[in-house]
Amino acid sequence: MAKGNLYIVTAPSGAGKTTLVKALLAADPLIQLSVSFTTRAPREGEVNGRDYHFVERTEFERMINNGEFLEHAEVYGNYYGTSQTWINSVIESGSDILLEIDWQGAQQVRRLFREAIGIFVLPPSLDVLEQRLRGRGKDSDEVIARRMKVAREEMSHVDEADFVIVNEHIDEAVRDIIAVVRAERLRLVAQSARHTALISALKG
Amino acid sequence: MAKGNLYIVTAPSGAGKTTLVKALLAADPLIQLSVSFTTRAPREGEVNGRDYHFVERTEFERMINNGEFLEHAEVYGNYYGTSQTWINSVIESGSDILLEIDWQGAQQVRRLFREAIGIFVLPPSLDVLEQRLRGRGKDSDEVIARRMKVAREEMSHVDEADFVIVNEHIDEAVRDIIAVVRAERLRLVAQSARHTALISALKG
């Protein structure tokens, strides 16, 4: 059984990452979003194991002490975290996992998962990004300027990724991300694990 | 301008390489087959620069002496060869090139083009391969056995490739090879060269 791959998808706000990831998940049944652990209560309609892994505070703290988290944070009194143990078990089962995080989270994950594959999504230009950020509402120039600053900070880490997708036309960008995930499954190591009988017959 | 990639596609006879390559070339206008140089006369319908680069014997020998060939051979008194100079110029222009060669040619090319990307096409099993080789005509068991031996020799080099495509269903295998070529164009280095203005604006 071949192991799955771990993908880290990074992008500034406005690059179209959410749309892209949604389209990938819809097109490819062998990849799934990473599901975070949290101590907050489930909201109406949220399903345990799909939206979050809902756990008690004591359980979460036990996991912290065990070093089970790739990354975790406390926000408004609730814990949120990505479990390395859970990710490992999904990957071992042959599924790919996709993690949507910022450059800091990406660096953290890469330290622990050297084989993680980084995909950076960029807008076609800074002007287009600004238009997209403005298009979202009636925000002041100051707010837009702050968002652009955050976006530029994020984008300055583009060269830490393995693949770069420039999202000019969403259809093309969707094809791009689907191609990356499909192609990475065809790497020699993955295929050797998937087709053990065939490959060992060839080498025998 | 991004440089193109050089792909080496290797497969045993009967794996379906020709069909696969034809489908890729039809689907992707940015990749082209390597065109060999030859000293033999053009046949009816053959176009210079498309089917072969037709050159005089003296010219071919000058190219050999200049070390211009990645590989060359003399067959029935005619020279055939793959020009490194020509491949470099196509790659510099941003096009991808695909080279269909055997494992020995692949090793030779890889020594000179370290960045060449190797794709190995396998049949789903040795039994299926034998059926496919038998299916071609009314050949004797001896002939089939010889072909299988050559095929196994070729396949024993599968672990020299970067990507492995197992051609069980041709539609899936076609999608696989298209995905590999599309994904490799999205690598950081290639994208940085393609989107220089954008990337330098981000790093500035």
Side-chain angles (χ1 to χ4, degrees), chain B residues 36-49:
Chain B
S36 296
F37 283 70
T38 186
T39 56
R40 82 153 164 73
R43 290 183 191 137
E44 177 110 18
E46 283 184 339
V47 176
N48 188 29

Side-chain angles (χ1 to χ4, degrees), chain A residues 123 152 155-156 159 161-164 166 172 175-176 182-184 186-188 191 195 198 201-203, chain B residues 123 152 155-156 159 161-164 166 172 175-176 182-184 186-188 191 195 198 201-203:
Chain A
R152 290 192 66 136
M155 290 188 286
S156 71
D159 48 12
D162 301 294
F163 295 95
V164 177
V166 178
E172 291 296 315
R175 269 182 225 135
D176 283 345
R182 185 171 188 124
E184 286 299 306
L186 301 173
R187 293 216 158 260
L188 175 67
Q191 288 287 64
H195 300 280
L198 174 61
L202 298 179
K203 305 298 294 184
Chain B
R152 291 194 64 135
M155 290 188 285
S156 71
D159 49 12
D162 300 293
F163 295 94
V164 177
V166 178
E172 291 296 315
R175 270 181 224 136
D176 283 345
R182 184 170 190 124
E184 287 298 308
L186 301 173
R187 292 216 160 258
L188 176 67
Q191 288 287 64
H195 300 279
L198 175 62
L202 299 179
K203 306 298 293 182

